[in-house]
Amino acid sequence: MRRSGPPSWFIILLGIAIVFGVYYLWLGIQNFMATGVTVGESTRQAVVGSTSTALRIREIAFNAPTLLPSFTPVPSCQDFEVNVREAIVRAQPDTASRIEAALPQGAVVCVIAAVPDADWYLIDDNPLTKRLETVYMHRDIIRALHPTNTPTRTNTPAPTRTPTPTRTSAPSATLPPVTRTPTTVPSATPTPVPASVSL
């Protein structure tokens, strides 16, 4: 006699699937209660964590708080004045660079430093601010208002070499070696005793 309905092996497999489903559902509920993260969010976090380092670093950098800039002191400057009718201020130390401004004769500029290996000065365009706004001017069109004494190169004679005294030992008084010569002590010579005369 044949039974109608699903085979017994199917019912066993269905029972196992239901038991595992209830078990995983219970684990998900416990995880959610402990962390507050759903399974989908947990999966997304796992995917983000397993992606390449560059993507992770970009995400961290994007979400990181913006740090406040650190204080960098503005370098001190020396006052120079324009000594031509009109002086050109340039963006770079080159005559082909962009013109930033034109200053009249007598205008005072703030020179930060001389550009190495060039005839240009680095200028702070607005010295009243706390940030350095750099422009450049050629050294032929400005001069120092209060020039500092520049040291001149003077030839100083080479130091004479004094020979250092060598250390010599002082002559020591050498005594002749002491030799002991045996001295003879006079021995007591027996005095002759007259022989007694027997009577």
Side-chain angles (χ1 to χ4, degrees), residues 96-182:
S97 70
R98 182 178 77 246
I99 296 175
E100 293 291 323
L103 299 175
Q105 187 170 8
V108 177
V109 294
C110 175
V111 173
I112 301 296
V115 176
D117 302 327
D119 292 334
W120 293 82
Y121 285 120
L122 173 68
I123 310 290
D124 186 359
D125 195 29
N126 191 357
L128 299 177
T129 63
K130 292 193 182 260
R131 108 178 148 237
L132 185 63
E133 298 175 20
T134 59
V135 290
Y136 296 88
M137 293 182 78
H138 198 273
R139 70 174 4 154
D140 292 338
I141 60 176
I142 55 177
R143 66 179 171 84
L145 269 180
H146 309 288
T148 57
N149 293 333
T150 55
T152 57
R153 186 176 180 93
T154 56
N155 293 329
T156 56
T160 57
R161 185 166 184 183
T162 308
T164 56
T166 57
R167 186 171 181 175
T168 58
S169 60
S172 61
T174 55
L175 299 174
V178 178
T179 55
R180 292 190 73 126
T181 56

Side-chain angles (χ1 to χ4, degrees), residues 32-123:
F32 178 75
M33 296 302 249
T35 62
V37 178
T38 64
V39 174
E41 290 174 10
S42 177
T43 305
R44 280 192 295 278
Q45 288 176 358
V47 169
V48 168
S50 65
T51 55
S52 68
T53 306
L55 292 175
R56 185 74 179 139
I57 289 173
R58 241 186 292 152
E59 178 187 340
I60 291 170
F62 181 75
N63 294 330
T66 305
L67 298 176
L68 295 175
S70 61
F71 175 72
T72 305
V74 177
S76 61
C77 65
Q78 184 179 1
D79 288 335
F80 276 57
E81 76 173 337
V82 175
N83 64 353
V84 294
R85 192 170 36 148
E86 188 174 51
I88 302 295
V89 180
R90 299 207 178 254
Q92 295 296 322
D94 184 11
T95 54
S97 70
R98 182 178 77 246
I99 296 175
E100 293 291 323
L103 299 175
Q105 187 170 8
V108 177
V109 294
C110 175
V111 173
I112 301 296
V115 176
D117 302 327
D119 292 334
W120 293 82
Y121 285 120
L122 173 68
I123 310 290

